[in-house]
Every structure is written in structure tokens, then in C-alpha cells.
Amino acid sequence: MAQSLQFEHKWDYAPAPEKIPVQIDDRYGLFINGRFIEPASDKWADSINPATEQSLFKFAVADQSDVETAVAAARKALPGWSGLPAQERAKYLFRIARRIQERSRELAILESMDGGKPIKESRDIDLPEAAKHFFYHAGWADKLDYAFPGRKAGPVGVCGQIIPWNFPLLMAAWKIAPALACGNTVVLKPAETTSLTALRLAEIFQEVELPPGVVNIVTGAGQTGSALATADINKLAFTGSTQVGKLLARQLAGTGKRLTLELGGKSPHIIFDDASIDQAVEGIISGIYFNQGHVCCAGSRLFVQESIMSEVLAKLDIRLASLRVGDPLDKNTDLGAINSRQQLDKINEYRKIGVEEGASLHQPSTSELPDKGYWSQPCYFADVQPAHRLARDEIFGPVLAVMSFRTPEEALSRANNTPFGLAAGIWTDKGSKIFDIAAKLKAGVVWCNTYNQFDASSPFGGFRESGFGREGGRQGLRAYLELS
Amino acid sequence: MAGRLRVLKTYKLYINGDFPRSESGRTSKVLGSDGKLLAHVCKASRKDLRDAVSAAHSGLSGWAARTAYNRGQVLYRMAEMLEGKSAEFSDILSTTISGGRRRAEREVGRAIERLVCFAGWSDKYSQVLGCNNPVAGPFYNFTVPEPTGVIGIVAPDEQPLLGLVSLIAPVLCAGNSVVAIGSDQHPLATAVMGEVCATSDVPAGVINLLTGDRQELAGILADHREVQGIHAAGVDTDTRIALEAGAGENMKRVTVRNITGKGWYDDRDCHSPYWIEPFIEYKTIWHPSAC
């Protein structure tokens, strides 16, 4: 049976806050045609630090005319940008990548302040990966004719891009880097709760003298996004909920605009009895509690083979008890703040539904939560039934649904019993079982004996209602190219 | 034999390897360009289409699980059977479409070439479209194409045989199963194509062919939640919008081609693996490479 050393509170961690001062303006306008401008709407809104509930800065709320101005700027910049010698385009992307690396400490802190994620994640994952996306795609700019054999590759045109709040800067990089490498121009709309790092990325575009209009950033909420989807763009890329993705698909039908969608998930994570259990438990932890569970590919449905269920749960209890929830800027924090009040309400609602539906809540974490801010203790529910909403709905929080299975066939059929198909995880030491199960899982990304790994060269995206199109890798370029 | 009364055939639907009549009992007349009655064809209903989708689902997993080499053999067998029936197809096409026998023979010939081409692609496209990925970490990482699922085909009125075959072949070669709605102006090519499928080792349910009101059936296909993709050509604007809006139902992958006339004879376009690409899903698999 799993055992743990009991230190009571003798080995508590001392606070280790990130102390480098960062500067944040009182308010940020729209980034259009290479300059920050006041919005024609004259509307502003507060961006809240979810760890303190204090306003960090004000951002402009772009209306339709602002969006049209941005799209016009991107349209005007298109011939110049797509007509640049490809290696010149590449060098702008390399410059951007370098400046992201050089300013990564500052950007990581800003990311954690604006979005609530722990500094160790923004520092070690979001920032290095964002820089890597620009480096990786920079190199593609002058090699596109080799990417799709037999075809000449050209840009699609003006790309509207709408990104979510869970990885604000990283998602901006995922969207902007391939678009620019392929010779397109961009109008990006960050999420309304997390626009800060995209606006600071705009500063980097100024620093590296990216030609005006090549990237434009319009801030605002759903209405701004809707204005962008219906504006004079050639392509829309959206990352967010399946519900909004379906609306956009209907809205764009017959318009000739190209569409890629990176939507929700309810990814299965399967632990077989021949797995290395300690490693699998680490995989489970990073699978669901990484970034407070605000991850579209989170391993939120855990399937454990019946014979090892009690051992896995005992080890999960020990591991959960050691997770530290609190100040996102503390370097020892494992789970930071929930991104917004709205999201916290949703998570709490699902925790309530889980109990009401008869699943049993386990919450071994002992962290004391701060008085102010939005917080959620990491938890799991045992005794979840396949029909429970916990097993069907995307929660987007640190809530894990645990279920058991007896045979590989049962694991597979239950894992695939969802309209989603973004990611999946498998833990077993048997090679043939890995390939057999990986081939039969309906998911765009399958992590075997690991989970939540990402790389700019590795295509990411879903099957079924998790959307279409890939981001990253050679396949990710396809969405931003016309082949002739 | 002058004056002998010809047997007037009623062509049936092709669903799950069988040739049922429409459950609705509806049929329509097919007239030659001279206005004379040639045959009757069944007019598929909503229920027929739904039966065809169920059949396509039951055929899917077995077809996807076949080796790529075997799928290629089956496609090549289709080419052989179509070659054997080329005179019949040329008759049908030349009596219903202006342009004469030479045009018809050309269409049939190219349809055969297309099957031969995709028979060859079946065990090659994954090498062209897939890859392994040099991730910055101790992982082995590779991307492979997998079939999308049940694909609805809406074939054009123009080039009714070549259009139908061109839309089906790339979808089939990637391991998808098919529910195809043929031309309603020239339904005989679709109807006889069922006979080709039935005699060329295509497993039951993998190809299902319907004749009927194309626009009506296309709308039902678009809304069907068990259809994972659409491959269409030669549709009007309203049908195009209906098909593309189908993505909002269950995220179907919809490709509507703007291809007409000589476009169907452009092998550089129609024989490329980029016709397969919309009907595959990229799966990326990670495994640690250090222990």
C-alpha cells in the first residue's frame, strides 16, 4: 500500500515570490497599423488580476468599426508582407523569437498576474514554447514549396484569429507565427480576461520593426470576436468552446472564408495494471491539474484498471495532499488562481453536480486559500458513472472524474464514448498494447507513458467535435496556405 | 429483332451490398436525349439515406482495419470491373448526355484512370502526408493520417460518372466509408456503378449509392450527426451553404469543390494526395525515448 512520510507543518515551504518589478500602463489601446490607438468605440474595460480581484489595467473594447479598421490595415499590409523575399520574412520571425526570449522573465510575470497561472508554468512552459513557435515557423518561411510536394504554396490572405484565456501568449504565438511565416497578415483578438501579454507582444513587434499592419490586435469580448468573424477576412482561426465553434461554422458557411477550429475536449487517460504506477500518478497529476485544469486537452476522465484502483487512488491522495494552491507569483505554487469569477462559478457548479449525481468527492489538498481571489482546491471524484455530467461535460478546472475498467476493450469503448476527440493518454509497459490502443483511440494527440507534452514541431488538434485543422508541425502550415 | 419489346429495367439503390428498392416506393423516369423512356430509377427517401449511413458505419471499421495494400487491391478491382462495363457506361452516357459517344468514352476512360491512380495511392499517401517530428525533448513523436469516418458524397450532374468516381476514390482509399448521392439529371451512371461495386470485392456497407432528389438528400446528409464529412461538387449556392453549415451540427469536415468541365480531366489536380487530405485525421503519438 502507498505510504507517505508525515512532516505535519514542519517542512512548510517559505514564501518564494517572484519579485522583479514589472511595469504595466494604466490602459492599453488597440494595436492597429503598428501603433497603439484609442478605440473609436471609446469603450474601456478592466482586466482583473484573479489572485487579488484588483484591476490591473484597462483595455479598449473594440467595436465593429475598430475591427474594420484593423482588418483594413491588415489588408493594406498584405501585398508588401507576402511579397517580401521569404527569407526576409523569416528574419522578422527570428527577431520576434529572440525578443520573446530576452523579455521572457517580464512576460512570464505579466502572464501570471493577468491570468493567474503559477509562475513556474509561465516561466518554464508558456514563454519558452512561445519563443519556440516563432523560431520553428521562422525557418519555414523560405521552405514552403518543400512542405507540400508538387504544389506552389502561397498565403491565404488576411487571417482573423480568436484565442482563449488559458495560454494567452502561447496561443497568440501558435496563431501568429505560422500565419506570418506563410505570408499572411493578421488581426488577433485575445480573450477579454487576458489581453496583457498579447499587447506586450505588440511592443515587441514595434521593437523588431515588423512592418505596420502585418499584425493587428483588437481587444474585447465576444462581440468583438463576432465582428472579426464577419469582417472582410480570408480565414478565421478560433480556439475556444465547441459551442462557439459550431456557431462560427454556421456563420461562415457559404462565405468562402477558410476556417480552423481548436475546440473542447474530455480527454481519456487510461492506466493499465502493467503500468509503472508512480510515473502514471505523476502523469495523472500533470494531466488534470496543470494550469488549474484550464487546458483543452486535460486528461479529465481517468480510467484505471480495476485491479490497481485502490493503489492508484492511495497514491493520488498522497500526491494531491502535497500540491500547493496559492499565489501565482510564488515559485513553489502548483496551482494558481482560477482565471475569472465566471470560471470559478462554473467549476463550483460542477463540483456540486458531481456530489448530487452520487459521485464521491476527494479533496486531500491542505493548502490554505487566500482570502481574496478566485481559488479552487484540486480534487477528484470517484464512483463516477459514464452518464454523469462529470464524465461528459468539459469543466475546464482542477476536477478529475475517476472510473474503472476491466479489459482493454472496455477501456477503449468507454474512452471513445464522447463527441470530443482532442487528446488521450495511455500508461502500460507493454509496447504492442500501446500501439494497439493508440491506433484505436479517437483522438488527435495520444500521449503514451507521458501526458501534456507540447512542441512547435508536433501537430496539435482534434478529431470529431474537438474541431478541425492542426497547429504546429508541417501539417499546421496547411491552414495558412493556398496550394496551386 | 425489329419490333421486339425491350425489357424496361428499374435500377435500384445500392445499400449495404444489396440492391433494395426505395422504402418509399418512389421511382422516376429516365429519358434519353431523344425523349424516349430508357429506364426507371428508385428515388431514395430520408429513410433510405439513414439506412445507408447505418450501413456505412457498419462497414467502416472493417474497411479502415484492412491493410492499405488490400484497399489498393480492391480499388484496382473496381477499375477492372469498370473497364469490363465500359461499353455499357458509354451507351448510357451517350444516350443521355449531348456530346456523343466519343465524349462518353472519354469520360468512362478517365473514371477508370482515376480508380487506378487512387488504388496506387492507398499505401503511399500516409508516407507523403504523415511524418515524424523532431520535438525538443526525449520523445519519439510521429504523425499518422487516419480515416475520418463516414463521408457523404454529392456528385455533380456534369460528368456524372467521372465526377462520382473522382469524389469517391480518394475518400475510399484512405479507409473511409461512403454514402454517395448521384446526379439526379443523369442517374444511370450511379445506378450501374452499384453493379461495379457489388462485383469488385468492396465489402458490404463500404460504398452506398443513392439516386433521387440530390438537393433534398444533400440537406439530410448535411444535418446527419453520424456523417463525419462531406465531399461535394457541382452544387448550387443554397446547397453549398446547407452542406457547409452541416459543420455546425457535429463538426463535419466539408469540402465543396468548384470544379467544372475540363477541370475533371485535370489529373494534376484530381490525382493529387491533396484530394485525400480533407478526409483524414492527423493523429500525433508521443512516447518517451529515454528510460
Side-chain angles (χ1 to χ4, degrees):
Chain A
M1 213 55 222
Q3 293 192 344
S4 70
L5 299 171
Q6 300 297 329
F7 295 112
E8 305 295 328
H9 285 285
K10 286 173 190 145
W11 277 31
D12 278 349
Y13 282 68
E18 177 62 80
K19 280 186 186 145
I20 303 298
V22 289
Q23 171 270 329
I24 302 174
D25 291 350
D26 292 339
R27 64 182 208 176
Y28 287 85
L30 306 171
F31 183 69
I32 296 178
N33 212 18
R35 295 187 306 124
F36 284 94
I37 62 166
E38 302 278 302
S41 68
D42 200 30
K43 275 198 241 157
W44 301 83
D46 285 303
S47 190
I48 305 293
N49 177 340
T52 63
E53 300 181 51
Q54 302 288 310
S55 172
L56 264 187
F57 66 97
K58 283 185 187 298
F59 62 90
V61 180
D63 66 10
Q64 190 171 343
S65 77
D66 291 311
V67 169
E68 281 167 9
T69 308
V71 171
R75 179 73 57 203
K76 188 157 166 264
L78 182 62
W81 180 249
S82 59
L84 268 187
Q87 202 173 5
E88 296 300 298
R89 228 165 47 222
K91 286 191 288 183
Y92 280 108
L93 270 82
F94 280 121
R95 279 186 177 188
I96 295 166
R98 264 287 181 263
R99 283 306 286 158
I100 291 175
Q101 287 181 319
E102 286 158 1
R103 291 180 60 174
S104 65
R105 192 160 185 186
E106 165 206 355
L107 288 167
I109 295 168
L110 294 172
E111 195 75 308
S112 285
M113 289 173 79
D114 197 23
K117 67 172 62 198
I119 185 72
K120 73 174 179 191
E121 288 178 9
S122 24
R123 180 194 65 201
D124 297 345
I125 294 163
D126 294 62
L127 262 297
E129 286 296 320
K132 196 202 263 172
H133 263 266
F134 279 99
F135 265 114
Y136 176 78
H137 287 97
W140 268 124
D142 56 348
K143 300 165 191 71
L144 297 171
D145 288 342
Y146 302 100
F148 298 94
R151 290 291 181 272
K152 178 103 186 108
V156 174
V158 174
C159 301
Q161 304 179 321
I162 302 174
I163 57 172
W165 44 260
N166 56 344
F167 295 91
L169 183 69
L170 183 54
M171 287 298 114
W174 275 35
K175 293 280 185 284
I176 294 172
L180 295 195
C182 295
N184 304 281
T185 56
V186 165
V187 178
L188 177 88
K189 190 200 85 70
E192 68 271 26
T193 59
T194 54
S195 36
L196 183 56
T197 46
L199 294 161
R200 301 299 277 259
L201 182 62
E203 289 178 5
I204 290 181
F205 296 150
Q206 289 179 323
E207 288 173 359
V208 305
E209 297 172 330
L210 186 73
V214 170
V215 179
N216 305 275
I217 296 173
V218 289
T219 45
Q223 281 187 325
T224 309
S226 180
L228 181 55
T230 51
D232 175 30
I233 55 174
N234 303 100
K235 180 206 156 50
L236 182 68
F238 170 79
T239 297
S241 73
T242 293
Q243 192 191 358
V244 175
K246 287 181 171 182
L247 276 174
L248 290 170
R250 283 186 195 285
Q251 214 169 10
L252 262 58
T255 61
K257 290 175 191 170
R258 290 189 31 189
L259 178 65
T260 44
L261 299 167
E262 205 76 78
L263 307 176
K266 190 75 187 176
S267 297
H269 204 164
I270 307 171
I271 319 293
F272 287 101
D273 59 6
D274 56 3
S276 167
I277 306 285
D278 287 341
Q279 287 179 25
V281 168
E282 286 309 303
I284 296 167
I285 295 284
S286 84
I288 183 65
Y289 304 119
F290 171 53
N291 200 30
Q292 297 77 245
H294 302 330
V295 185
C296 49
C297 53
S300 53
R301 287 185 298 148
L302 180 66
F303 294 98
V304 181
Q305 198 152 17
E306 208 174 63
S307 56
I308 53 164
M309 179 62 99
S310 58
E311 183 185 359
V312 168
L313 290 187
K315 288 186 169 175
L316 198 56
D317 284 338
I318 294 169
R319 192 64 183 81
L320 264 169
S322 74
L323 289 179
R324 290 172 297 269
V325 184
D327 182 6
L329 289 178
D330 191 309
K331 292 166 197 164
N332 292 322
T333 293
D334 295 306
L335 280 86
I338 298 302
N339 185 264
S340 64
R341 161 69 63 189
Q342 193 191 3
Q343 189 57 28
L344 180 61
D345 290 346
K346 183 181 164 188
I347 293 166
N348 288 336
E349 177 67 19
Y350 272 104
R351 289 173 57 124
K352 215 172 92 200
I353 289 170
V355 173
E356 283 167 7
E357 286 186 329
S360 49
L361 173 66
H362 295 254
Q363 187 181 280
S365 172
T366 53
S367 292
E368 276 177 41
L369 300 181
D371 299 333
K372 278 273 187 186
Y374 315 134
W375 311 96
S376 183
Q377 289 283 14
C379 70
Y380 70 88
F381 280 87
D383 311 313
V384 175
Q385 299 302 315
H388 284 176
R389 288 185 67 193
L390 282 182
R392 309 208 67 82
D393 298 356
E394 181 174 45
I395 300 172
F396 228 62
V399 182
L400 175 67
V402 184
M403 291 165 274
S404 68
F405 68 92
R406 287 185 179 170
T407 63
E409 293 71 29
E410 186 192 355
L412 255 176
S413 78
R414 294 181 60 186
N416 284 337
N417 180 16
T418 166
F420 295 115
L422 191 49
I426 309 166
W427 293 81
T428 165
D429 265 2
K430 192 163 186 216
S432 56
K433 198 191 279 179
I434 286 180
F435 283 110
D436 182 45
I437 303 290
K440 290 173 181 163
L441 283 166
K442 300 287 181 203
V445 182
V446 181
W447 286 295
C448 310
N449 292 325
T450 183
Y451 205 91
N452 269 348
Q453 301 291 339
F454 307 93
D455 193 277
S457 72
S458 176
F460 183 90
F463 281 30
R464 309 203 278 198
E465 295 195 13
S466 290
F468 40 69
R470 292 291 176 268
E471 294 185 291
R474 180 171 61 80
Q475 289 79 3
L477 299 171
R478 185 68 186 87
Y480 291 100
L481 290 172
E482 286 294 349
L483 302 182
S484 59
Chain B
M1 293 291 283
R4 179 185 168 268
L5 187 66
R6 207 163 53 87
V7 173
L8 201 58
K9 183 167 174 179
T10 298
Y11 288 91
K12 297 190 281 187
L13 310 173
Y14 181 61
I15 299 174
N16 207 23
D18 296 325
F19 289 95
R21 293 177 195 280
S22 169
E23 61 80 35
S24 66
R26 297 186 302 178
T27 57
S28 49
K29 290 177 181 173
V30 184
L31 306 178
S33 3
D34 57 4
K36 284 195 183 144
L37 182 63
L38 279 181
H40 287 93
V41 291
C42 289
K43 207 172 163 193
S45 65
R46 171 187 292 266
K47 170 80 165 63
D48 295 320
L49 188 140
R50 299 190 70 86
D51 289 347
V53 172
S54 303
H57 267 283
S58 62
L60 177 64
S61 54
W63 181 242
R66 294 220 175 181
T67 63
Y69 176 53
N70 183 252
R71 284 200 304 270
Q73 303 262 302
V74 173
L75 260 82
Y76 186 72
R77 184 70 185 152
M78 286 175 72
E80 288 179 333
M81 298 314 289
L82 187 50
E83 185 79 60
K85 274 183 170 292
S86 58
E88 184 183 353
F89 274 103
S90 297
D91 285 346
I92 288 169
L93 294 172
S94 59
T95 40
T96 55
I97 302 173
S98 62
R101 178 114 195 149
R102 274 188 62 188
R103 193 218 65 82
E105 283 172 355
R106 194 163 167 250
E107 182 180 344
V108 176
R110 197 57 69 101
I112 296 167
E113 309 301 335
R114 205 130 289 167
L115 285 169
V116 171
C117 171
F118 283 97
W121 265 128
S122 75
D123 52 4
K124 293 160 197 76
Y125 72 89
S126 63
Q127 293 177 308
V128 174
L129 301 178
C131 55
N132 73 355
N133 307 306
V135 296
F139 294 95
Y140 185 54
N141 175 299
F142 56 98
T143 298
V144 290
E146 292 197 356
T148 297
V150 171
I151 307 299
I153 307 276
V154 184
D157 282 324
E158 192 184 27
Q159 315 285 344
L161 176 67
L162 178 56
L164 178 72
V165 169
S166 302
L167 293 174
I168 288 180
V171 168
L172 209 59
C173 117
N176 299 286
S177 61
V178 161
V179 174
I181 303 164
S183 158
D184 50 4
Q185 281 179 32
H186 306 293
L188 290 188
T190 311
V192 181
M193 197 61 204
E195 297 173 9
V196 169
C197 298
T199 51
S200 40
D201 306 328
V202 179
V206 171
I207 301 181
N208 303 276
L209 300 169
L210 304 176
T211 47
D213 184 328
R214 205 165 63 112
Q215 213 163 321
E216 177 199 319
L217 293 171
I220 301 167
L221 205 54
D223 289 342
H224 202 305
R225 295 185 66 94
E226 299 300 320
V227 173
Q228 279 82 37
I230 302 270
H231 197 191
V235 298
D236 62 22
T237 309
D238 286 347
T239 309
R240 181 192 198 97
I241 293 172
L243 290 172
E244 290 183 355
E249 200 63 45
N250 63 336
M251 287 296 135
K252 336 184 142 59
R253 285 66 167 131
V254 182
T255 298
V256 182
R257 299 199 182 270
N258 284 322
I259 189 165
T260 54
K262 285 189 183 144
W264 291 107
Y265 293 86
D266 179 358
D267 290 346
R268 183 180 175 271
D269 185 18
C270 303
H271 283 182
S272 88
Y274 308 112
W275 277 55
I276 303 171
E277 197 187 26
F279 306 102
I280 52 116
E281 305 293 317
Y282 287 114
K283 177 182 279 180
T284 297
I285 299 176
W286 294 70
H287 195 281
S289 59
C291 57

